[in-house]
Amino acid sequence: MMTTMWTYQYFQNHETNRIIYLRFGLIILSAILLIITLIAYLRQRNNSKNRELLIIFILSTLLFVTVQTGHWQETRTGFNNSNQVVRFMQSVAKAQHTTPGKIATNQQNLSSGMIVKVGTNFYSVKFNNDASISSYELTKTALINSKISYDPK
């Protein structure tokens, strides 16, 4: 069994997401086609082809907006988690007198019991109980399984 760890660089890169831009592009394209079809329909109200195209573009735009709203909420939560982990890793790096690039963690969000690798040392993390997670305690620990893979994403 291999332990997966995520590096500081992973959390830095995780904040950019090209798929978001693609989805917004589809919404904009669909909205433009909707406007063009609406203008064509208003010019020729008797043309059933324009009315059917208008209905199709209204439904597709609504579908894209609905899907994007759900994904945006998930992405926003991921961004918040990544930002918290980045701030935590920066704090650990400062306290351990090292650079954030030499730090990795076994979880993608902050929680007590997570393992942090600083250089060649491993630490178990205990956070305080308040909602803002304003303090933490590092306790040196050892891994039972020393096989570690780093997430390349």
Side-chain angles (χ1 to χ4, degrees):
M1 187 166 154
M2 194 173 292
T3 302
T4 301
M5 298 201 83
W6 290 272
T7 63
Y8 179 79
Q9 188 66 33
Y10 167 82
F11 291 105
Q12 289 288 330
N13 293 338
H14 186 66
E15 294 180 19
T16 59
N17 193 347
R18 293 181 191 145
I19 294 175
I20 291 173
Y21 297 121
L22 176 65
R23 290 183 186 137
F24 278 124
L26 286 173
I27 290 172
I28 290 169
L29 177 66
S30 179
I32 290 170
L33 292 173
L34 175 68
I35 291 169
I36 291 170
T37 308
L38 178 63
I39 292 169
Y41 172 71
L42 292 175
R43 285 185 180 172
Q44 300 174 354
R45 290 184 187 250
N46 295 333
N47 190 343
S48 64
K49 180 181 93 171
N50 288 337
R51 185 180 66 236
E52 291 169 3
L53 283 174
L54 180 63
I55 292 169
I56 289 170
F57 287 127
I58 288 172
L59 292 175
S60 64
T61 302
L62 288 174
L63 176 68
F64 289 143
V65 168
T66 304
V67 169
Q68 180 59 28
T69 302
H71 286 288
W72 176 250
Q73 291 172 348
E74 291 173 15
T75 303
R76 190 180 67 201
T77 301
F79 286 162
N80 290 340
N81 288 341
S82 291
N83 288 334
Q84 285 181 334
V85 174
V86 165
R87 285 194 316 270
F88 168 70
M89 290 176 134
Q90 290 169 342
S91 176
V92 170
K94 185 176 180 181
Q96 296 292 318
H97 308 292
T98 188
T99 62
K102 294 182 180 178
I103 297 178
T105 181
N106 71 332
Q107 294 182 17
Q108 295 183 21
N109 53 8
L110 299 181
S111 65
S112 288
M114 69 189 291
I115 304 296
V116 175
K117 180 182 180 206
V118 180
T120 57
N121 298 317
F122 293 92
Y123 298 91
S124 176
V125 181
K126 180 181 176 188
F127 291 101
N128 63 343
N129 290 331
D130 68 357
S132 64
I133 304 180
S134 59
S135 66
Y136 62 90
E137 179 183 341
L138 294 179
T139 306
K140 197 164 185 175
T141 190
L143 297 181
I144 294 173
N145 181 5
S146 61
K147 292 182 181 180
I148 300 173
S149 71
Y150 295 94
D151 197 313
K153 295 179 185 176

